[in-house]
Amino acid sequence: MLLENLKIKDRDEKLLDNKQIYIVDDDKSVCRSLRLLMVSYGFAVETYTSAQDFFCAVPNSATGCLILDIHMSGLNGWGVMQKLADGGSKLPVIVISADKSESFKELALKAGAVGFLQKPFEDHYLLHMVNRVFNKT
């Protein structure tokens, strides 16, 4: 009986220790694959296929890390970053984009992103950036 209680407690504590990741990308397959990756490393993950869905569901006071695509219909990633900044959000943003422009990384970092990855990218680069975000908090 005591061992069963201990297992439940450990599981519950582990769930409470999960770091929250938000993924906003209009490509459902990207959301799905990034979600699987992050969950497999113990992160709590919510995915959104539009900026509107994200802002309707996530309060400006949210903590965690946002993985954000730039090129989306409706409000694009640049607009999301501006809206977060205007609202006083402290949510760290990692920008992902398939855009091949050399200046994109610089633009993303100047806009307040903590990191930038060009699609396609290797999983370990994203995991490294996310871990850096959570190790600073």
Side-chain angles (χ1 to χ4, degrees):
M1 181 84 166
L2 182 60
L3 183 58
E4 289 174 1
N5 289 339
L6 184 60
K7 285 181 184 178
I8 291 170
K9 183 179 178 192
D10 288 345
R11 185 191 73 220
D12 291 344
E13 284 177 0
K14 190 170 187 170
L15 290 174
L16 292 174
D17 289 341
N18 282 354
K19 305 290 186 175
Q20 183 65 54
I21 303 285
Y22 304 97
I23 300 167
V24 180
D25 195 309
D26 59 351
D27 185 334
K28 289 180 183 178
S29 65
V30 170
C31 284
R32 188 171 37 255
S33 64
L34 290 179
R35 182 182 197 296
L36 288 171
L37 172 68
M38 292 294 137
V39 166
S40 73
Y41 281 89
F43 294 100
V45 179
E46 294 178 27
T47 62
Y48 304 92
T49 55
S50 74
Q52 180 179 350
D53 291 346
F54 170 74
F55 283 115
C56 285
V58 179
N60 210 32
S61 60
T63 59
C65 181
L66 172 60
I67 300 170
L68 177 65
D69 186 27
I70 289 295
H71 296 295
M72 298 183 290
S73 57
L75 187 64
N76 66 20
W78 302 120
V80 170
M81 291 178 70
Q82 186 63 53
K83 189 169 179 175
L84 287 169
D86 291 347
S89 174
K90 303 282 190 235
L91 192 65
V93 178
I94 297 171
V95 171
I96 58 175
S97 178
D99 196 296
K100 303 293 183 202
S101 171
E102 290 293 321
S103 63
F104 235 62
K105 179 179 180 179
E106 185 178 334
L107 290 171
L109 296 176
K110 281 184 179 179
V114 297
F116 174 83
L117 288 171
Q118 187 176 44
K119 296 177 192 175
F121 52 82
E122 294 182 34
D123 296 347
H124 66 94
Y125 290 118
L126 179 60
L127 289 166
H128 176 73
M129 284 184 185
V130 168
N131 281 320
R132 244 186 21 219
V133 164
F134 286 116
N135 288 333
K136 286 183 181 179
T137 59

